[in-house]
Amino acid sequence: SALFWYTGLIPDLATFRDRAKHKVTRYIYGALALGWRGSARHWQRYENAYLLLAGMSTPLVLSVHTVVSFDFSVGIIPGWHTTIFPPYFVAGAIYAGFAMVLTLAIPLRRMFGLEDFITMRHLENMAKVTLVTGLMVTYGYAMEIFFGYYSANQYEKFMIHNRMFGPYAWSYWMLIFCNGIVPQLLWLKKIRLNVAILFVISIIVNIGMWLERYVIIVTSLHRDFLPSSWGMYQGSRYDWSFYLGTMGLFLTLFYLFIRVLPMIAI
């Protein structure tokens, strides 16, 4: 992923090198541009490398999230031991990814006047992909309920019942609302073309995908096979501060990126 991102920047870094006024800045951009001069040979090698990396990144998306899902599904904990997890995790990754891109792109588009580059057609197509993957994720939720009852496994059945009506029921129903109900608004073209509503929906989906991880991990572990090991998890101040700190780190790196590198490839 890092190579794919960096390779796409090479012609832009060369442009920055040629326009840099300070010697140090010119040296840094020059080193990062890898001697790019824009010749036909450079463009040919660039396009071959970029196409190869794009081809590699497609199965990467499938394999990475499938392997992550296997980390859960090979366990015997109720709520984890299910065959739906690999496609469910892949669809969830694309779903959360498109929602996050919308969350970042919409304010950036407005603040920097990028309407001619990030057009309404782009935003509408992203909304459509968000809707489709949201339906896949919702199907996964329905299958979890089906497995819990159809399997005739008392532990799986209890886990589903506990998610819906136990002490963490608020997180489960918030999850269904954020990831299953709200995205259905994207069926309407008026909603898909309304930038403000699209931004709000993307935020709600991000919250829903965080809740999905919370539900999968916490509600499955807080009541397992042994009642003696049952407990409640609320998160200490260190847990919450660490979590909020990751947001701060991400935003810092994101702001540095839009400050020193092109937001859109020239």
Side-chain angles (χ1 to χ4, degrees):
S1 297
L3 276 175
F4 185 49
W5 171 75
Y6 175 64
T7 303
L9 283 173
I10 289 173
D12 303 296
L13 292 167
T15 304
F16 280 26
R17 172 201 63 200
D18 296 339
R19 294 185 178 184
K21 295 179 180 177
H22 196 278
K23 186 177 179 180
V24 175
T25 310
R26 187 164 58 249
Y27 178 80
I28 293 170
Y29 283 127
L32 293 172
L34 304 178
W36 176 272
R37 293 297 170 194
S39 66
R41 181 178 291 180
H42 285 185
W43 276 111
Q44 183 186 12
R45 289 176 177 171
Y46 166 81
E47 288 173 3
N48 289 339
Y50 209 39
L51 183 64
L52 179 66
L53 290 167
M56 289 171 64
S57 65
T58 305
L60 181 74
V61 172
L62 299 174
S63 63
V64 165
H65 296 285
T66 301
V67 171
V68 169
S69 71
F70 284 162
D71 294 340
F72 287 90
S73 59
V74 296
I76 60 170
I77 299 293
W80 292 1
H81 193 67
T82 171
T83 53
I84 195 71
F85 265 29
Y88 171 42
F89 269 51
V90 171
I94 300 170
Y95 184 45
F98 269 84
M100 178 55 74
V101 171
L102 281 169
T103 302
L104 297 173
I106 289 173
L108 211 63
R109 176 179 182 266
R110 179 66 181 272
M111 286 187 288
F112 290 94
L114 300 174
E115 287 84 356
D116 292 336
F117 302 99
I118 306 174
T119 64
M120 285 309 304
R121 181 168 170 268
H122 291 122
L123 296 181
E124 186 186 7
N125 287 339
M126 288 173 69
K128 288 177 182 177
V129 176
T130 304
L131 173 62
V132 170
T133 50
L135 290 171
M136 293 178 185
V137 169
T138 305
Y139 176 76
Y141 299 151
M143 284 299 99
E144 282 187 320
I145 298 170
F146 176 75
F147 292 157
Y149 285 91
Y150 188 75
S151 65
N153 184 317
Q154 60 179 328
Y155 300 106
E156 289 287 338
K157 188 175 180 180
F158 170 77
M159 180 275 300
I160 293 295
H161 190 271
N162 184 47
R163 276 188 184 177
M164 291 182 170
F165 307 108
Y168 287 108
W170 62 269
S171 62
Y172 181 77
W173 293 113
M174 276 287 291
L175 161 70
I176 298 299
F177 173 76
C178 292
N179 285 351
I181 297 173
V182 171
Q184 303 312 311
L185 294 170
L186 297 173
W187 284 102
L188 304 173
K189 191 177 180 71
K190 286 184 178 178
I191 298 294
R192 295 198 302 269
L193 296 178
N194 189 312
V195 178
I197 296 177
L198 205 56
F199 178 70
V200 171
I201 290 174
S202 73
I203 294 286
I204 292 172
V205 170
N206 285 326
I207 294 169
M209 290 308 292
W210 182 88
L211 283 168
E212 180 186 296
R213 272 68 174 173
Y214 189 85
V215 167
I216 288 174
I217 295 169
V218 175
T219 62
S220 297
L221 287 175
H222 94 110
R223 289 186 179 174
D224 55 12
F225 296 105
L226 296 174
S228 59
S229 65
W230 288 7
M232 295 295 292
Y233 173 78
Q234 305 298 340
S236 67
R237 60 180 178 175
Y238 301 106
D239 294 330
W240 287 106
S241 59
F242 185 80
Y243 167 61
L244 293 172
T246 61
M247 292 186 184
L249 176 63
F250 173 81
L251 287 174
T252 301
L253 295 173
F254 182 69
Y255 291 145
L256 286 171
F257 165 69
I258 64 176
R259 177 67 182 86
V260 300
L261 293 170
M263 290 174 279
I264 299 174
I266 301 169

